[in-house]
Amino acid sequence: MNILYVTSEAVPFCKTGGLADVAGSLPPALAAEGVETAVILPLYDKIGPQWREKMTFRRYIYVDLGWRHEYCGLFSLYDRGVTWYFVDNEKYFRRGRLYGEFDDGERFAFFSKAVVDLLPSLDWMPDILHCNDWQTALVPIYLKDAATRWWEIRHIRTVFTIHNIEYQGRYGSDSVDQLFGLDRGWYDDGTLRMDGDVNLMKGAMLMADAVTTVSPTYAAQLHDPAYAEGLESVVDAIGWKMHGVVNGIDTVTYDPASDPALPAHYTAADPAGKAVCKASLQAALGLAQEPDTPLIAMVTRLVGHKGLDLVQQAMDGIMAAGCQFVVLGTGDRQYEDFFRWKAGQYPGRLSAQILYAEDLSRRVYAAADLFLMPSRSEPCGLSQMIAMRYGTVPIVRETGGLKDTVTPYEAWRDSGNGFTFANYASSDMLYVIREAVYLYKDYPDAFARLRARAMACDFSWARSAGEYLHIYSTVTGQPWPPAEEPVRTEESAPAEESAPAEETAPAEETAPAEAAEPASDEPAPQPTAEAAQSSAEPAAEE
Ligand code: GLC
């Protein structure tokens, strides 16, 4: 099974949010399961020279988008078992940032069209295009469009993942033909039409063969107008092909036993280094050197849905519980100003780091005792998982992926891996923060066991990768794992006779299609310098 993962950002090349973490770690996990996996993303100017020098130029084509005829280069590099393809066009991707440009619709329509037009230029033909968020939402539509004329791509299936339904890609109705170069029928028949506008996310939800979102709870919440941002009726209509799959994190780079950003290393069995990390952060941020005062941290974009209004309301109550507090992140001015102001009010106890720095964020995850994430909505959330991996006990609101990854502490049977509250109310949040602070101060042994349970959770991609493989297998009809090994004991053979027969059939079906691909009108991609590259790459890991 061949997977092409289509994304507008991926770690370690470029990142604005959690999508980049997922796109940087799920594909290598799929490759580790034995699936041929490649990723394709735009070649932004933000992608640094350390990556560019590892890239090989493959070829260029021209992409037609309405009346536009645009240059489109293709580069690639090989890393962690995955081929990473980069789509080059300086007019669109040399902007100093990833998003927020006046022509984002055109830029990502170009990228989406390029993905389909470049299919013959790749080394192999994918069976699945796995698209993510509105930026790649036109891919399933361009693919369907192209497949009417191009039989070699008719077997390709699409999966569309919603990382956040807030951003849908909405444009005026004229954009269908004028900007996106599509027949107006795509609008008139309602596929791309929503409330009188073009809505790219709606189009992808309808046209993809499977739709996923990043946690089961969020998948269920999307039927509710309070969470669906106007798309609840579309979610209802596609419920039959919708799945919630919890994200994983990259447990190799996020590992307190080896993270190079940390002043000391530690494990669940030997957590001593965590105290060193705490003392070092307290010193660096001008917090009082108090090893026994619980340190609460937030590492977050400072935007509304992260629940910052609750924190504003409860801030003085939190500080009155007798803790230290550190917040790291940037975002809306009102929250940035609020935390700066509070830092002034609580010198030595509250630190506001209004910036984003990857290394500092890791030091915060490691140093803190408690991690606060009171989101109003949270499709999955990765920070709570990273915090747990670093032995920092999460305090979360029970929504989306927070609900699916954090189980509440129960003193009477000493269970759970964090603290949770259900209602979006600052008083409820403050109640569990106090509970957490008192447990830390008054029952250090119980807190240590809670911390150990949090650290023991498995948030690696191994499990979720399996769920994606199941979905890929369902939409392609290809069995996974591939039914090749006829290793049967003599006794079991007769009973299973019919099963292997069934299993081999689909495999054969796909074989001719695959065999035919290289023979398609592909003008043989030039030097495949991958073997040479792969030996150079692993060094880049750390
Ligand atoms: C978005 C969501 C976040 C999720 C991430 C990765 O950023 O807001 O909850 O963890 O995507 O899927």
Side-chain angles (χ1 to χ4, degrees):
M1 195 150 43
N2 297 345
I3 313 295
L4 180 59
Y5 197 85
V6 188
T7 179
S8 56
E9 52 182 274
V11 163
F13 310 107
C14 50
K15 168 173 173 176
T16 70
L19 166 61
D21 289 307
V22 173
S25 53
L26 169 59
L30 292 170
E33 298 283 327
V35 191
E36 285 291 330
T37 312
V39 179
I40 189 162
L41 69 157
L43 182 57
Y44 304 103
D45 50 352
K46 288 286 237 183
I47 297 179
Q50 75 276 30
W51 297 113
R52 284 173 188 259
E53 66 200 21
K54 298 199 165 99
M55 291 178 193
T56 309
F57 173 74
R58 309 305 285 255
R59 66 178 302 185
Y60 70 88
I61 60 170
Y62 279 85
V63 170
D64 290 319
L65 196 64
W67 50 267
R68 298 169 192 81
H69 186 65
E70 300 290 348
Y71 169 87
C72 170
L74 181 68
F75 288 78
S76 73
L77 62 78
Y78 186 79
D79 183 35
R80 293 172 293 154
V82 174
T83 302
W84 305 78
Y85 290 107
F86 298 86
V87 173
D88 178 35
N89 175 304
E90 294 204 350
K91 178 178 127 186
Y92 289 132
F93 301 127
R94 189 174 173 174
R95 301 288 180 91
R97 58 179 177 176
L98 272 54
Y99 319 122
E101 300 288 298
F102 76 97
D103 57 348
D104 279 359
E106 181 180 330
R107 296 168 69 222
F108 290 101
F110 165 79
F111 172 62
S112 302
K113 184 84 187 312
V115 169
V116 174
D117 290 357
L118 282 167
L119 288 172
S121 308
L122 309 180
D123 297 330
W124 45 247
M125 197 51 101
D127 302 304
I128 295 273
L129 294 180
H130 186 153
C131 309
N132 296 278
D133 277 352
W134 77 266
Q135 290 91 339
T136 60
L138 279 169
V139 170
I141 292 174
Y142 287 135
L143 183 77
K144 280 253 168 6
D145 218 37
T148 58
R149 296 176 293 278
W150 187 12
W151 67 266
E152 288 95 335
I153 62 168
R154 271 180 212 156
H155 71 286
I156 301 180
R157 297 289 174 263
T158 50
V159 175
F160 180 69
T161 296
I162 300 169
H163 293 263
N164 195 334
I165 206 160
E166 250 180 82
Y167 312 105
Q168 299 174 359
R170 294 181 65 161
Y171 297 93
S173 61
D174 286 348
S175 60
V176 181
D177 42 350
Q178 307 202 358
L179 195 57
F180 304 134
L182 289 163
D183 190 281
R184 280 202 68 84
W186 287 104
Y187 180 82
D188 295 334
D189 73 3
T191 307
L192 282 171
R193 190 179 67 224
M194 188 83 203
D195 302 329
D197 279 338
V198 165
N199 187 311
L200 302 184
M201 189 170 265
K202 178 187 179 191
M205 290 165 75
L206 292 180
M207 295 319 294
D209 296 293
V211 176
T212 75
T213 187
V214 288
S215 69
T217 296
Y218 192 61
Q221 285 173 329
L222 288 182
H223 293 274
D224 178 346
Y227 291 93
E229 303 283 339
L231 287 178
E232 58 277 3
S233 60
V234 183
V235 175
D236 288 346
I238 61 151
W240 61 274
K241 61 173 180 181
M242 177 120 180
H243 313 259
V245 183
V246 176
N247 288 329
I249 56 170
D250 182 341
T251 48
V252 175
T253 64
Y254 288 118
D255 185 355
S258 59
D259 190 333
L262 306 187
H265 294 134
Y266 57 94
T267 60
D270 180 11
K274 191 162 168 71
V276 179
C277 293
K278 183 172 176 180
S280 148
L281 188 84
Q282 283 172 327
L285 302 186
L287 296 169
Q289 292 279 318
E290 295 169 0
D292 298 328
T293 299
L295 174 58
I296 303 180
M298 294 187 81
V299 176
T300 180
R301 281 182 297 128
L302 300 176
V303 294
H305 79 263
K306 295 294 182 182
L308 297 165
D309 48 344
L310 298 191
V311 181
Q312 284 181 318
Q313 288 160 27
M315 195 77 250
D316 294 322
I318 296 173
M319 298 313 289
C323 59
Q324 294 184 350
F325 194 94
V326 53
V327 55
L328 171 69
T330 59
D332 294 351
R333 185 70 191 268
Q334 56 155 325
Y335 301 122
E336 294 188 351
D337 288 348
F338 171 80
F339 285 118
R340 284 198 190 99
W341 173 56
K342 282 292 165 189
Q345 274 187 340
Y346 295 99
R349 294 187 54 211
L350 196 161
S351 169
Q353 299 298 313
I354 308 302
L355 50 102
Y356 187 75
E358 176 70 18
D359 279 5
L360 181 58
S361 76
R362 288 161 180 258
R363 290 182 61 189
V364 172
Y365 283 122
D369 301 297
L370 295 161
F371 191 84
L372 180 60
M373 214 166 159
S375 305
R376 182 188 293 276
S377 72
E378 195 62 71
C380 178
L382 303 171
S383 313
Q384 80 280 15
M385 294 191 258
I386 300 169
M388 284 189 260
R389 175 107 175 117
Y390 283 72
T392 301
V393 176
I395 303 172
V396 305
R397 187 171 96 83
E398 293 164 18
T399 185
L402 297 175
K403 186 164 185 206
D404 295 332
T405 52
V406 181
T407 43
Y409 173 66
E410 286 179 88
W412 66 277
R413 57 179 181 142
D414 205 19
S415 70
N417 60 9
F419 294 88
T420 74
F421 62 101
N423 295 323
Y424 193 75
S426 59
S427 52
D428 289 19
M429 179 185 77
L430 190 54
Y431 183 86
V432 292
I433 291 177
R434 285 198 191 114
E435 244 190 338
V437 165
Y438 297 154
L439 188 76
Y440 177 91
K441 289 185 171 174
D442 299 341
Y443 300 93
D445 291 347
F447 192 89
R449 289 195 300 275
L450 170 58
R451 165 176 278 163
R453 282 196 298 276
M455 284 187 91
C457 294
D458 176 14
F459 293 120
S460 74
W461 272 106
R463 174 182 48 114
S464 304
E467 290 184 48
Y468 280 114
L469 287 167
H470 180 74
I471 294 167
Y472 298 153
S473 166
T474 308
V475 297
T476 58
Q478 294 186 28
W480 188 266
E484 269 159 27
E485 355 63 83
V487 197
R488 296 271 186 269
T489 63
E490 303 87 81
E491 302 99 70
S492 66
E496 288 185 11
E497 242 165 39
S498 61
E502 266 177 346
E503 280 166 13
T504 50
E508 274 168 27
E509 259 168 41
T510 61
E514 279 182 89
E517 283 141 24
S520 66
D521 54 358
E522 183 178 341
Q526 288 125 18
T528 310
E530 235 136 62
Q533 276 180 332
S534 58
S535 58
E537 246 77 59
E541 282 254 319
E542 291 252 312

